[in-house]
Amino acid sequence: MERTGITEAMIGELVDKFYGRVRQDDLLGPIFAVVQDWDEHLAKLRDFWSSVVLTTGRYHGQPMRAHLPLTLIGNHFDRWLDLFEQTAREVCPPAAAAHFIDKARRIADSFEMASATQAGRISSPRHVLRS
């Protein structure tokens, strides 16, 4: 936190703005339409990102298990990252944005490789190296 300046308020702003964009997105919006209670989901996502970037341990879910049934493919992860990176750069100072983006790229790679494996395909990390 000292190095990046990330705060819970920043996480909240990033999550809310980012998922607002996701919900309006032509590619990702229909996937996220399965969410029944957005207030509850956003609270869970704030806990997730707090655990990821501040190591608070507030999140106790299984995100991989929740996402595998969605049959996501490469362009879904690319679009998710495009929106996330744009939002992080708008909301956060540079060091914080870089930290969030690094974590998001690793998450995208992990989810994409798991989705491919479940579908019987082989995928290798490709987002961590994005420029």
Side-chain angles (χ1 to χ4, degrees):
M1 184 172 162
E2 289 178 24
R3 183 179 64 80
T4 63
I6 295 172
T7 64
E8 293 291 346
M10 186 185 299
I11 292 168
E13 183 181 356
L14 174 60
V15 165
D16 292 351
K17 189 171 189 174
F18 169 64
Y19 281 98
R21 288 178 173 169
V22 164
R23 292 169 73 181
Q24 300 301 315
D25 189 74
D26 291 339
L27 179 64
L28 300 178
I31 293 166
F32 283 87
V34 300
V35 175
Q36 300 289 316
D37 183 340
W38 270 99
D39 290 335
E40 178 184 317
H41 194 63
L42 290 171
K44 187 184 296 186
L45 291 165
R46 286 184 212 102
D47 287 346
F48 172 80
W49 281 104
S50 177
S51 292
V52 168
V53 298
L54 297 178
T55 63
T56 60
R58 287 199 339 235
Y59 180 76
H60 300 287
Q62 296 180 324
M64 189 72 70
R65 179 177 282 172
H67 288 82
L68 283 177
L70 301 176
T71 61
L72 303 172
I73 57 173
N75 63 331
H76 295 117
F77 297 103
D78 295 340
R79 184 64 182 149
W80 184 87
L81 276 174
D82 289 343
L83 292 175
F84 188 88
E85 292 180 17
Q86 173 190 359
T87 308
R89 289 185 178 108
E90 289 173 7
V91 169
C92 307
H99 189 67
F100 274 111
I101 289 167
D102 177 64
K103 297 293 186 182
R105 288 176 179 181
R106 292 173 191 278
I107 290 165
D109 280 341
S110 177
F111 278 40
E112 184 173 24
M113 288 186 297
S115 292
T117 299
Q118 184 181 30
R121 297 186 317 270
I122 295 174
S123 178
S124 59
R126 62 187 183 88
H127 296 104
V128 123
L129 304 174
R130 271 171 72 135
S131 49

